[in-house]
Amino acid sequence: MATTRGGSGPDPGSRGLLLLSFSVVLAGLCGGNSVERKIYIPLNKTAPCVRLLNATHQIGCQSSISGDTGVIHVVEKEEDLKWVLTDGPNPPYMVLLEGKLFTRDVMEKLKGTTSRIAGLAVTLAKPNSTSSFSPSVQCPNDGFGIYSNSYGPEFAHCKKTLWNELGNGLAYEDFSFPIFLLEDENETKVIKQCYQDHNLGQNGSAPSFPLCAMQLFSHMHAVISTATCMRRSFIQSTFSISPEIVCDPLSDYNVWSMLKPINTSVGLEPDVRVVVAATRLDSRSFFWNVAPGAESAVASFVTQLAAAEALHKAPDVTTLSRNVMFVFFQGETFDYIGSSRMVYDMENGKFPVRLENIDSFVELGQVALRTSLDLWMHTDPMSQKNESVKNQVEDLLATLEKSGAGVPEVVLRRLAQSQALPPSSLQRFLRARNISGVVLADHSGSFHNRYYQSIYDTAENINVTYPEWQSPEEDLNFVTDTAKALANVATVLARALYELAGGTNFSSSIQADPQTVTRLLYGFLVRANNSWFQSILKHDLRSYLDDRPLQHYIAVSSPTNTTYVVQYALANLTGKATNLTREQCQDPSKVPNESKDLYEYSWVQGPWNSNRTERLPQCVRSTVRLARALSPAFGLSQWSSTEYSTWAESRWKDIQARIFLIASKELEFITLIVGFSTLVFSLIVTYCINAKADVLFVAPREPGAVSY
């Protein structure tokens, strides 16, 4: 007699359904990326416009949370906008805009028809001698300098001089759609080819599907203002186990050093006098982390680095009656973040140098675009109403003129006392204390820089070019005309600082090295990954250098690449290579006559050996240090402050751009219906099979016992 054998697993129908589900999941895991690569072409070399916030409002751009998609339309002349704004039958459109058309007038038109605009991709233009583009405002840092409606109202809000006369303010507008910069010409060509193949109609007719489309992802988490986003982040941090921070304050570090070492563990005595030499490190543009800043920042801090090197070589610097402090401020573009923090720390005893220690203040503004030999000396007319300060400023200007007399390539020029200071870190110090100060710049009125705080403020903007046949190593050491001109300015600055510090004997022998200037310009503006920059950095900072120029946006993750490189360049140019071992360099407290309170010690990669097979690492001792460049507003939780900078950057989850072919709405609807119908049919078939499983899937009989 035969019997059937029971089991405890799922019935055959359920087993088949599970197998089908597993197969689908496995296929998705194994082939999903491959399918995506066949559908989408990613755009890897792009830069987004992101959202920034301050005490009162938000600026920048963002996409929807799932990204924005639109049919690509190339706009090469302003007449092409008509298709996008009114005539095109397939909105929304993703506009591929030629860089020369990225103007306020065009952007206002696009901003006014957001229902037809999905986003914007901007190509790089090729600037010429007559073009200009500055997305910054005409009166930078207005309201955060020394002039206000209650102090120097005749100078407030740039009433007498629009410093950035060409500024169109685009970088300080708020856009509700994503805007990306296309940095690679090859990717731009791919997009245009896709557009030409699919989006151009025949004989003026509308193009037929499928159409070439672009999708941009740049959804921002923060909204409204810094006060709003910081409050939301604070609530999340307080009450949530896994808080989601929506914005971060812009912050980094100032770089500073002393001509003669000081004990940083205690403050200077009030009778110690210090001459301050200052400049800024940062710049910005419309697009995130694209901030070449050649004229607006790099030329000035390179000049100051060369001046610091020249001054340290003077034989009697240790005997000078006054000390000299070199400061490189971060975040000055955003309402003087670095300088306001240093002034705050000086006032509250959190910095070894106090405000009362400052004897005079010399700042380098934009200095690379001198139209003649002139270098203009800007001073503050308000503080000079004090007779004592006026006399000190007069002495300061006379010293500068004397120092420049020995350098025929630089002619120091005075300005009328009726002119205000240009945007400068000195203004933040004057808000706290009347001191004698001067800003050296290549302009007497409005900036000469036609690309102030833009993507085109590059090496070419300050005429840094190289012969095409040279190798990168030859370019590194090729002394350009710009390097020679900036070296002359550095010589004047170094000699002036020497005399302001009390020096008299060796002023004429102080000379800045054009070779140093040209190496710095090449590294910051052309190719950061070069043999000299590699030699002055720590081994674990090598990744900060690549084959592109460094960008000088302050950001929120610090220190930035620029800060690190300036720190180590200054240490290399002004410090001393010691015989300390690596262990001693990391902990010099156990070495006689070495002190961490007086010096900083850095174990750097060093130059190549004679065979160029390995580097010769060394310990560099210097007075170069970092000081926090975070606005006091955030430490004080004054997120709506009008006294201090409140700039913050929104966080985001994904930044991405890609192109693909898109079907018509009708075909998409038909596909949806067919897919849904197939799903319903499959479920019905599966249900029927499962219901009749005991009939359709009969288990085999077990063989019975055989009897004879």
Side-chain angles (χ1 to χ4, degrees), residues 268-345:
L268 291 180
E269 295 297 326
D271 60 338
V272 177
R273 311 303 292 164
V274 175
V275 179
V276 176
T279 190
R280 66 172 58 188
L281 285 179
D282 67 304
S283 184
R284 70 164 301 200
S285 75
F286 187 89
F287 300 99
W288 182 75
N289 204 31
V290 182
E295 161 74 342
S296 60
V298 176
S300 56
F301 72 66
V302 162
T303 301
Q304 182 158 299
L305 286 168
E309 178 191 36
L311 183 57
H312 273 77
K313 291 179 179 179
D316 60 342
V317 291
T318 57
T319 63
L320 297 178
S321 58
R322 301 180 186 90
N323 210 336
V324 177
M325 181 171 76
F326 294 95
V327 189
F328 300 79
F329 290 116
Q330 265 286 12
E332 297 302 273
T333 299
F334 294 96
D335 299 337
Y336 307 119
I337 293 175
S339 55
S340 63
R341 176 56 183 263
M342 182 166 282
V343 170
Y344 176 82
D345 287 344

Side-chain angles (χ1 to χ4, degrees), residues 596-672:
K596 288 280 285 184
D597 291 333
L598 297 177
Y599 298 101
E600 280 287 310
Y601 299 82
S602 304
W603 185 258
V604 300
Q605 293 190 95
W608 290 105
N609 61 9
S610 57
N611 298 326
R612 296 187 65 84
T613 56
E614 62 179 354
R615 292 191 175 273
L616 304 174
Q618 56 190 1
C619 182
V620 175
R621 181 182 65 199
S622 71
T623 62
V624 181
R625 300 176 186 273
L626 299 180
R628 200 78 172 96
L630 171 66
S631 172
F634 295 97
L636 299 170
S637 296
Q638 296 176 1
W639 303 321
S640 298
S641 172
T642 57
E643 171 69 17
Y644 300 112
S645 171
T646 55
W647 284 105
E649 181 185 273
S650 174
R651 288 197 180 185
W652 58 81
K653 184 177 182 180
D654 189 26
I655 298 292
Q656 185 181 357
R658 58 191 185 182
I659 63 173
F660 57 98
L661 295 181
I662 188 172
S664 66
K665 297 295 183 183
E666 293 78 6
L667 181 58
E668 288 180 346
F669 181 74
I670 292 172
T671 303
L672 175 64

